[in-house]
Amino acid sequence: AYLQEAGCVSCLPKVISSGLQALDMQCFFTVGADEVRAWGVRKGSKAPQAAGMIHSDFERGFIMAETIAYDDLKEHGTETAVKAAGKYRMEGKQYV
């Protein structure tokens, strides 16, 4: 609110993306009924290693990831609408 009132633009998104790029990392998100979390992982990591960032048991027992592209979620608005549009994906252990 303050930035808008003062007519300023935040540099935080640029700082975050520059930091991720410098560290050769990327983010993935987990979504639950009451929270969304961003997790950092090295670029090129496969899904089991990404799951291991959340909890080591997830890496050992990884079977499949349910994925939705951000642009698809933004376009369709809800997980249900994304599924109805056929954009919801199940990815295996080789998913990067």
Side-chain angles (χ1 to χ4, degrees):
Y2 171 77
L3 290 176
Q4 289 177 337
E5 290 174 11
C8 297
V9 176
S10 174
C11 291
L12 189 56
K14 188 172 185 175
V15 169
I16 293 169
S17 63
S18 295
L20 288 170
Q21 184 177 10
L23 295 171
D24 198 33
M25 295 186 78
Q26 62 187 24
C27 284
F28 70 95
F29 297 91
T30 56
V31 181
D34 59 347
E35 75 174 353
V36 175
R37 293 191 85 166
W39 302 87
V41 65
R42 292 267 181 221
K43 284 185 181 176
S45 295
K46 294 189 177 172
Q49 288 73 43
M53 297 301 294
I54 300 169
H55 194 285
S56 59
D57 287 347
F58 290 175
E59 183 172 359
R60 285 192 298 272
F62 183 86
I63 298 171
M64 193 169 290
E66 300 174 2
T67 65
I68 297 175
Y70 173 77
D71 290 336
D72 293 333
L73 183 58
K74 189 174 175 182
E75 177 184 344
H76 297 287
T78 66
E79 181 180 338
T80 303
V82 171
K83 286 179 180 180
K87 302 285 185 167
Y88 188 84
R89 299 185 326 265
M90 303 294 280
E91 301 287 353
K93 292 181 179 184
Q94 297 304 312
Y95 181 66
V96 178

